[in-house]
Amino acid sequence: MVEKAKVYFTKELTPEAVIKLYQALNINLPGKVAAKVHSGEVGNQNFIRPDFMKPMLDYIHGTIVECNTAYEGKRYSSKDHWNTMKLHGWTEIAPVDIMDEEGDLELPIPTGKQIQKNFVGSHLKNYDSLLVLSHFKGHPMGGFGGALKNISIGIASSHGKAYIHGAGNVKKIWSSDHNQFLDSMADACLSIKDFFKGNIAYINIMRNMSVDCDCCAVAEDPKMADIGILSSLDPVALDQACLDLVYRSDDPGKKDLIQRIESRNGLRTVESAAALGVGSREYELITL
């Protein structure tokens, strides 16, 4: 019998709890550690602030990594993205690396369902391991954003983001078949898993859960209450556990988030990632 993926959970929403959830994973991320956060679009009120992440970043001596966006905004060019990083306070708490500032690195996905290559920031090659610090919330296109979105769209270069959104055709960035876009995200996840060969840990923070992503300059305020923090070595199990906690919640405000997830067929990315072997939807939830 295959052992279920372990997902750790606490209702405690503190910087110290983030470290506790990381320690529960019993992993020692080797070498130079990239810490993937969401820098937050200028104007967004919901993104997780640097002071909440700082103790965790100090603990692993991590470098904050991000990539530029594929749409106009304050994170589209490296110059503007650096300004946003400074404005939001990220540069004050840890080293920062905008990984596609010097171009792309192409990663192969030989078994990809929709795309057979992924374009990430070229600086990804400078890191030995990865800590994925994700803000779990809704998303205008993906339905929800968690660990899987953070290692696919999040680590993709500006060109790579357009390639995933366009399901392999950057000219169709906003017009590709929606399910093919969701499958492309799952494919991209596989390339990151393969690249780091097990040297990845994932933490999802379930607070400020708007229906909109932190990439939205104008975002809806959250309708449901905060839930807690979860961690796992399996991004599929982690996102599945977060979805299950939303659905099982007795908070009436959850209907808005669920409507966003279901209207965008958000579960498809989880299903596709599981089918590709990125992780498993079967998990054991361990409350700390």
Side-chain angles (χ1 to χ4, degrees), residues 1 13 35 38 49 59 69-70 92 95 132 159 229 287:
M1 183 175 158
L13 274 158
H38 196 303
R49 299 304 194 266
Y59 187 82
T69 59
E92 294 174 23
V132 186
H159 171 73
I229 304 172
T287 301

Side-chain angles (χ1 to χ4, degrees), residues 15 48-55 88-90 93:
I48 309 295
R49 299 304 194 266
D51 58 353
F52 193 86
M53 302 294 203
K54 184 182 188 308
H88 286 166
W90 293 109
I93 68 159

Side-chain angles (χ1 to χ4, degrees), residues 274-287:
L276 284 166
V278 175
S280 170
R281 296 176 66 194
E282 299 291 320
Y283 64 91
E284 175 190 1
L285 191 68
I286 302 161
T287 301

